[in-house]
Structure formats: C-alpha cells, structure tokens
Amino acid sequence: MRMIMDYIQLAAEGFGRFIAEYKYLALIIGILLYTLVCLRKYKEHKIRTFLAYTAAILLVLIIPVTAVVLLVYQTRFYDYGWVWSAAPLTAALAWGIVAVVFEEIPGVSSALPEHSEQKKTGKTVATRTITPRLLGILAAVSLLFMCGNQGRLQGISEKDAQLQAAGAEILQYMKMQDLIQDRVIWGQKDIMQHIRKSGGETILFYGRDMWDAKAGAYDYEAYTPEETACYEWMEIVSSSDNLYLLEVEQAPEYIHEALATDVYLREAIARDVDVIILASQITSWMERKILLVAEEKGLTVSGAQVGEYTLWIFD
Amino acid sequence: MRICTSQCCVHCGVLAYTGLYFSRKRCEKIAGRLAIHGKENMLIILGVIFMCFPLLPGTGITVLINRKDADISADLWETYLYGFLCCIGIFEIGHLAGVFLDQTVTMCGKITIGLFAAVSILAGVSIFVKRRKVLSAVGIRVKKRRPVDSVHGAQDKMCRTGLAGVVFCGLLIGQVVYICTVPMLQTAGDITLETVNSFLFSDGIYKVSPLTGKAFGGAPLRYEILCLPTVYTFLCKWTGISAQQIVCNVIPLLTLCVTYMVYYLLSGTLFGKDKGSSEKRVWFLVMAALIFFLSEASVYMDGYGILHGGHLGTTIRNCILMPLMLYAALEKKWLLSVLCILAEMCIVWTFWGLGTCVVVLVGVCMMDLILKKSHLDKLFSGLSSKEENSR
C-alpha cells in the first residue's frame, strides 16, 4: 500500500515537473479538443483511431492513479518521464498543426474560377495559393517557438569545456610518458570522466556511478564508505570554487580541514592508486603529505606539472 | 522516393555482397584508389552500407509476406525499415552468441557477418523464386500510374510541395550540422561510450567494468543482453573509426535519417498516400523537425534524444520504434509490430521483457475495437452527414 502511495506521489510530482518543461502538452491537448469538436472533418478510421489512442494515453498519463499502472509496468529502473514514451507527442502535435492549417485555411486557388486568366501565369496563382496557408504555418511555428526553447539550444558550459580540455591535456601527457597501462588513476570527477571516455585502457579509482547513480545500473557492486569519503575529499580540494576561495583567503574551515588531512591519500594508496591528479594551487599543502605517505609505503613519488594540474606518480 | 524495389534490391545486393566479401583493408585499398584518404573513406563506405544494406533483407521479407495482388514495390521506406529491424535482430543474435558462448567481440563480428551473408542469400533466393511476383507487381505499378494533373494545377502543387521540401531540407541540414559539430552532452546514466571503449580494449563483452576499467563480477543478464554497445564496438573494429565518432556522430545521424523515414511513413497513414497529400506529408515532416529543434530542453523529449543522444536505446525506441509501431498498428501490419516489440527488447532495458511498444499496440488495437464495436465511426459519420444535409 505504501509503495502504491509512493508511486502516486511520484506520478503527481513528476507530472508537475514534466509540464513545466514540456509546454507543448497544452498545445497537444488544445489540438485534441479542436479535433474532437471538428471530428466530422476526419472521416478516416485510422485518423480517428490515432486521435482516440492519443487522447486515451494522455488521460492515462495525466491522472496520477492510472499513471501508476504504467510506472509499475516500466519498473523503478526508469524515471517518471519515460512513461510519456507511450504517448505519440511529436506525431500528434505535427499532425494537429498540419491538419488545422490545411482544414481551416483553404487554398485560394480552389476559390478561383477554373479557367481564370490569372491561372495562366503560374507564378501569380502559386503565390496567391501559398500565402494564406503559409501565414497559418508561420503562426503555428511562432506558437511552437514560444512553447519550446525559443531557439536556445543546449550546449556544454564553458567550465565543462575547460575541464575537458584539461583532461585531454593530462591524457596526452600520460600517453606520451607511458603512464596509462596498468595504473590506477585518481582525480577530480570531470577529469576522470574525460580520461575514461577517451579510451578503454585507463583504470580509475572509482567510476562515474559514484556521482551519477543512474550510471551504476550495470553493476551489482557498491562503493565502500571509505571510497565514497575519498571521492568527497577529492571534490572538496579540487573544486574550482573552493580553490578561488583559497586564493582570496576566504576559504571556510572545512576546506582547511580537508587540506590538513592525509587519511584519504593513505586510503587511496592502500587501494593501489598509482597516479593522483591534483590542482597545482594546493601543491604547497599536499607535497609534504604525499612524500610522507609514499615513504611509509616504501614507494617513490614524482610530480609533473601539466597545465593547471600536478600529477603525483607513485612507483 | 518511390524507386522500384526490385531494381533497388539488385543495387543493394551488389553493395551488400561487396561489404561482406571485402575486408576492411580491401575497402581501404579501394578508397585509396579513389583518392579518398584517412577515416573519411570508411565513413563514406559506412554511409553507403547503412543506406543500402537493410534493403536486401527488407525486400526479402516484403516479398515473402505480400499477397499475390499486393503492390510490393509501393513503399521503399517500409522495405528499408523491415530490413533495419531485421539487422537489429541479426546483431542481437551475434551479441547473444558472444554473451552465452563467452566469445570475443571479434568473434561476435564474424558470427554477425556470417548471419548477414546467410540472410542476404536467403533474401536473394526468395526474390529470385518470386521474381514473377516482383515483376508483376512492378507491372501493376506502371499500369496504376495516374494521369498527370492539369499543367497549372501540377505546377501549383509542385511549387507548394517544393517550398515545404526546401524548408525541410534546411532543417535537416541544420540538424546534421548540429549533430556533427556540437559536443555531445552528458546524459545521466548514459555509459555507452565507456562501455564501447571497454569492449574495444578487452575484446570481450563486460569483461571489465565500463566505468573503472577494473575486472568485475559481470552485468545483470537483462542488461547484458542489450546489443547496442556490441554493435558500436563491431563498427569501430571493422571501420577503424574511433568510438567517440561512431557513438557521437555516425549513429545519431543514422537515427536521425531513419526517424524521418518512419515519420514519412506515418504521414502516409495520417494524410493518405496519394499524390494530392504530398504537400501535407512534407509539412508534417517540417513540423516534426521543428519540434525536434525546439523541444530539446529535457531528456524525455524526442528532440533531446535526436540532437544529443541518437545512440541511446531509448532514443531509437522513442523516435523510430514508437512511431513505426503506431504506423504498423494503424495499418494492421502485425509482422512489423512483432519486429518492433522484439527490436525494443534487444536495445532497451524493459525488465518485464515487453516494453512500451506493447503498450502502443494494445492501446491502438483497443481503440480500434472500441470505435468499431461502439459504432462511434458510424455515429460520427451520421452526425456529419446530417449536419451537411441541414446546411
């Protein structure tokens, strides 16, 4: 019972979020209402079936109780938004616009006499025929434009692009120095992600499923609390916002605490990490600790500066 | 667009066998002779294979399932899509052989090529055996050609359809450029690129963890049987193109093209297949293209899938299989419906093994039955005729 209530709550909340993003839903419902009113114009059984299915599935998805049935059917592996895959939103919207424009705005040529003088000059007739429907289509396009992203297409942010460039630079250096094979790498999440995406030969301390839970569906194994703590520490000492605070000497206490501790470095080395990638700004805090940890474990360590990062290589 | 299928299958047969018999090195040699260098040669060959390869098994299926009086050369796109779904099935068999027989990806590729050869030969034989049917169908088509409209009417129609066609081409080119140039966004939960990289490196299916590269206990079976990462790995291995390019550019472009094929096919059902409705059909494509561009704000929208995640199983399901299932259910093409359901099972984690295609099929069939049983159609027709009479 509790699970069903959770599902109903998920469906109700999900719908709210969904329509906030997907503003076309109102447009589709409008078109469906229009077609219901003007159903006599659509005599084809296939179109009636298509409209009936679209209306029925929208109803099922909008009412939280019925949406739960689909949520249970698709299992908790998928988010609420994916239940909307069953509704042919794009097809219904595109069909609706074309149907409304072509049914409600008749071509001028049909109104002209069959053997009109104007028809002899194809250009004039064509222009006169196109204009009203074209205006209708332009109105529909404007409506779509306003309901959609208004032409602002998504792209990767400047910060992400910088991190990717840094990751590419580090990877190139590691390949040149032959530091890739059989070495476990640990660093900031975006850089590790870029390194792993660039080739299968790299081995990471932990994967993207550490911060992107959905990415972990392929694996039954979970990370230990120690590994999670190492990840959290690394993100604190590598975050560009925190590094900026350090530069302007306004860093809060927890950053200084993170920089003062070496327990996570020890933990990483104990888990066979060979290369640690840290921002160059924190080298003065980290250098002594890294040397001490290496000495304790009987390893030699060397540092190499690549861009704004320092690679600590343990052998 | 309505190229005769039998002619097409001869061309694609030649190309398909060229693809099968010529190894990667031979293809590179041919491309070298044609003075096309680098990876572009393989991209061109891959494009040609994508365009032509599904047509052969597709034609085979179309020939086998059509009745005597049917016009089998009617829809090239439908033939292509039958072949496309058939290709997914072939790749799945190759992939399953790798999973259950513990084979390498290279061996999976060889099994897949062998299966392709067998299916192509079977399709070729079925076309040869039923060649009379094919030829008679072509004859029916030639006879069925309707007289040309009056000069002005035709000019007028052509002008309007041409305008819609130009707009659509502009949008399509825009989308192609966008997919090829804009770096792919990181979709939550998408580990395709990492998986392909790990398959390429270990030459095995889930031998190492895709996200860390460390050895691990293996993926859940329902996850492991999904074939897309193996397909992409096979394409990378065979063509030498990087995983990044295959996953982020090549496959999304294929998805984009096949999506418009399906939408064009669906438009025939919604607006009619006669030449008079060609303008509406092209405007339908224009609207679909616009919606894709303008609705890419959320992961769950078709626009996001098409522009940012064309390689994802969910995108292939939502943009290709769902409209195709809608078309198949409305046209009562049951084999196509079954192929859609099976294809979804091969590419998307559905857990119960059924997936969303089944929901669409059941929904459309139920609506069809309700409309027929309740005589709503007749009621509406009666209402409309009464209204017309009263006018």
Side-chain angles (χ1 to χ4, degrees):
Chain A
M1 190 64 195
R2 188 183 166 83
M3 201 175 80
I4 296 292
M5 288 310 290
D6 284 350
Y7 266 124
I8 291 174
Q9 197 180 354
L10 186 73
E13 284 172 4
F15 179 69
R17 279 200 302 272
F18 191 78
I19 53 164
E21 284 176 350
Y22 205 95
K23 298 180 202 85
Y24 289 130
L25 206 57
L27 216 54
I28 293 167
I29 292 168
I31 282 167
L32 280 172
L33 287 174
Y34 158 80
T35 45
L36 279 174
V37 172
C38 312
L39 205 61
R40 63 188 165 78
K41 286 181 181 172
Y42 308 102
K43 286 167 189 163
E44 270 277 313
H45 178 72
K46 284 171 195 168
I47 295 177
R48 285 168 188 264
T49 313
F50 169 70
L51 289 172
Y53 170 71
T54 311
I57 199 79
L58 282 183
L59 211 63
V60 167
L61 291 166
I62 289 169
I63 300 168
V65 181
T66 45
V68 168
V69 178
L70 280 177
L71 271 171
V72 172
Y73 175 75
Q74 74 162 11
T75 77
R76 271 183 186 260
F77 180 76
Y78 287 109
D79 292 338
Y80 166 81
W82 293 114
V83 290
W84 284 84
S85 301
L89 298 177
T90 308
L93 193 53
W95 175 83
I97 288 168
V98 176
V100 170
V101 168
F102 277 81
E103 287 296 329
E104 295 304 317
I105 309 169
V108 176
S109 63
S110 58
L112 288 171
E114 193 62 29
H115 300 291
S116 163
E117 278 300 308
Q118 277 175 310
K119 279 212 164 185
K120 285 178 186 171
T121 53
K123 199 181 168 187
T124 321
V125 173
T127 316
R128 287 195 63 183
T129 315
I130 289 167
T131 312
R133 276 185 186 159
L134 201 62
L135 286 174
I137 286 167
L138 281 176
V141 170
S142 333
L143 207 59
L144 281 179
F145 186 78
M146 284 186 287
C147 289
N149 57 8
Q150 281 124 45
R152 290 190 298 269
L153 295 171
Q154 293 184 80
I156 59 165
S157 66
E158 203 177 321
K159 190 180 163 189
D160 288 342
Q162 277 175 0
L163 283 165
Q164 279 187 14
E169 200 179 354
I170 290 167
L171 189 67
Q172 197 183 2
Y173 175 83
M174 289 177 79
K175 277 182 179 168
M176 276 168 60
Q177 301 294 320
D178 200 20
L179 294 170
I180 292 286
Q181 286 287 339
D182 302 324
R183 283 179 189 265
V184 180
I185 303 163
W186 182 35
Q188 196 180 346
K189 64 179 183 182
D190 297 290
I191 287 176
M192 291 220 293
Q193 180 177 309
H194 181 81
I195 288 173
R196 185 67 196 154
K197 275 189 169 184
S198 303
E201 67 273 32
T202 50
I203 303 171
L204 304 182
F205 181 24
Y206 45 78
R208 182 149 55 85
D209 47 342
M210 178 69 90
W211 60 93
D212 177 5
K214 285 179 193 169
Y218 75 95
D219 198 358
Y220 288 123
E221 288 163 21
Y223 290 112
T224 60
E226 291 80 19
E227 285 169 326
T228 311
C230 285
Y231 156 71
E232 282 164 0
W233 177 82
M234 178 56 85
E235 291 312 305
I236 290 171
V237 298
S238 302
S239 160
S240 56
D241 295 338
N242 292 347
L243 294 173
Y244 172 75
L245 291 174
L246 273 177
E247 273 180 8
V248 295
E249 292 176 355
Q250 286 178 343
E253 194 56 35
Y254 75 94
I255 299 171
H256 285 290
E257 267 177 33
L259 289 170
T261 183
D262 61 357
V263 63
Y264 303 106
L265 290 172
R266 284 173 205 283
E267 192 67 48
I269 298 300
R271 287 167 191 269
D272 301 327
V273 168
D274 300 297
V275 180
I276 301 177
I277 304 162
L278 291 168
S280 295
Q281 283 121 304
I282 56 167
T283 302
S284 53
W285 277 275
M286 288 294 133
E287 194 172 10
R288 197 173 149 68
K289 292 183 187 76
I290 285 171
L291 288 171
L292 266 171
V293 171
E295 203 179 303
E296 275 175 26
K297 300 277 175 186
L299 299 167
T300 57
V301 63
S302 57
Q305 176 125 10
V306 182
E308 291 176 356
Y309 290 87
T310 306
L311 268 63
W312 299 99
I313 304 145
F314 295 83
D315 286 302
Chain B
M1 254 171 239
R2 286 170 177 258
I3 304 162
C4 164
T5 317
S6 57
Q7 285 171 347
C8 233
C9 74
V10 175
H11 293 297
C12 80
V14 173
L15 279 161
Y17 285 114
T18 314
L20 286 172
Y21 287 116
F22 282 80
S23 65
R24 190 187 141 200
K25 280 184 182 173
R26 280 186 190 169
C27 285
E28 277 174 351
K29 268 185 190 174
I30 293 169
R33 277 182 204 153
L34 291 169
I36 312 163
H37 299 291
K39 279 173 186 169
E40 287 80 15
N41 53 16
M42 291 315 297
L43 281 172
I44 292 165
I45 291 167
L46 202 58
V48 173
I49 287 171
F50 278 158
M51 276 194 289
C52 305
F53 215 99
L55 278 173
L56 193 62
T59 312
I61 295 172
T62 317
V63 166
L64 285 173
I65 60 168
N66 270 297
R67 295 185 306 275
K68 261 189 180 177
D69 55 337
D71 182 2
I72 58 165
S73 60
D75 238 319
L76 176 67
W77 299 142
E78 196 180 310
T79 307
Y80 182 92
L81 290 162
Y82 267 117
F84 180 79
L85 297 177
C86 190
C87 287
I88 292 179
I90 292 169
F91 274 120
E92 177 67 18
I93 295 168
H95 169 74
L96 289 179
V99 171
F100 292 114
L101 305 175
D102 203 21
Q103 297 293 327
T104 59
V105 177
T106 313
M107 184 49 82
C108 286
K110 284 176 184 169
I111 294 168
T112 310
I113 288 180
L115 282 170
F116 265 121
V119 169
S120 303
I121 290 164
L122 275 175
V125 168
S126 69
I127 293 164
F128 181 75
V129 169
K130 304 217 173 184
R131 64 189 181 281
R132 283 188 183 168
K133 197 168 131 180
V134 177
L135 289 170
S136 64
V138 176
I140 291 165
R141 248 199 96 56
V142 172
K143 278 179 200 168
K144 273 186 180 172
R145 270 183 192 162
R146 269 171 280 124
V148 187
D149 298 344
S150 64
V151 179
H152 293 304
Q155 245 185 0
D156 190 14
K157 229 173 247 177
M158 265 176 68
C159 179
R160 283 180 290 171
T161 313
L163 177 76
V166 168
V167 176
F168 173 66
C169 285
L171 286 166
L172 182 64
I173 292 167
Q175 285 173 347
V176 168
V177 171
Y178 187 84
I179 288 169
C180 290
T181 54
V182 176
M184 188 167 274
L185 295 179
Q186 179 59 59
T187 308
D190 171 25
I191 58 164
T192 314
L193 191 51
E194 288 97 330
T195 310
V196 173
N197 275 329
S198 70
F199 283 14
L200 274 172
F201 179 69
S202 64
D203 197 20
I205 298 166
Y206 295 108
K207 296 283 176 213
V208 295
S209 166
L211 293 180
T212 61
K214 294 174 185 170
F216 83 126
L221 188 64
R222 191 67 197 95
Y223 198 89
E224 212 172 6
I225 62 169
L226 306 178
C227 70
L228 286 182
T230 313
V231 176
Y232 302 158
T233 311
F234 167 68
L235 290 175
C236 293
K237 267 189 179 289
W238 189 72
T239 59
I241 300 169
S242 69
Q244 180 93 25
Q245 252 185 319
I246 288 281
V247 172
C248 302
N249 304 124
V250 177
I251 297 298
L253 286 179
L254 176 72
T255 309
L256 182 76
C257 296
V258 181
T259 299
Y260 286 122
M261 268 184 214
V262 177
Y263 272 89
Y264 186 73
L265 210 58
L266 185 63
S267 70
T269 303
L270 298 177
F271 297 107
K273 287 174 185 169
D274 55 325
K275 283 204 169 177
S277 56
S278 61
E279 189 192 354
K280 286 182 193 174
R281 292 179 74 179
V282 182
W283 276 117
F284 176 78
L285 288 186
V286 171
M287 288 305 148
L290 261 173
I291 294 165
F292 288 149
F293 250 139
L294 294 169
S295 72
E296 54 81 69
S298 168
V299 184
Y300 311 116
M301 296 177 200
D302 293 346
Y304 183 94
I306 281 284
L307 296 176
H308 303 297
H311 62 282
L312 295 168
T314 43
T315 305
I316 296 173
R317 180 199 48 198
N318 287 4
C319 298
I320 297 175
L321 298 181
M322 299 307 292
L324 189 59
M325 174 52 99
L326 201 59
Y327 164 80
L330 289 171
E331 294 282 347
K332 297 188 170 52
K333 298 198 170 177
W334 307 122
L335 178 68
L336 194 58
S337 311
V338 171
L339 287 178
C340 283
I341 293 167
L342 292 175
E344 191 188 355
M345 285 163 72
C346 298
I347 59 171
V348 188
W349 173 308
T350 53
F351 196 78
W352 305 114
L354 291 171
T356 320
C357 280
V358 174
V359 176
V360 176
L361 182 66
V362 170
V364 173
C365 289
M366 269 172 64
M367 287 303 132
D368 184 50
L369 272 176
I370 290 167
L371 283 175
K372 273 183 186 165
K373 286 257 176 185
S374 63
H375 304 286
L376 278 176
D377 265 358
K378 283 180 190 170
L379 186 73
F380 286 126
S381 312
L383 278 175
S384 62
S385 61
K386 272 181 191 173
E387 272 182 44
E388 276 161 20
N389 286 338
S390 64
R391 278 180 187 180

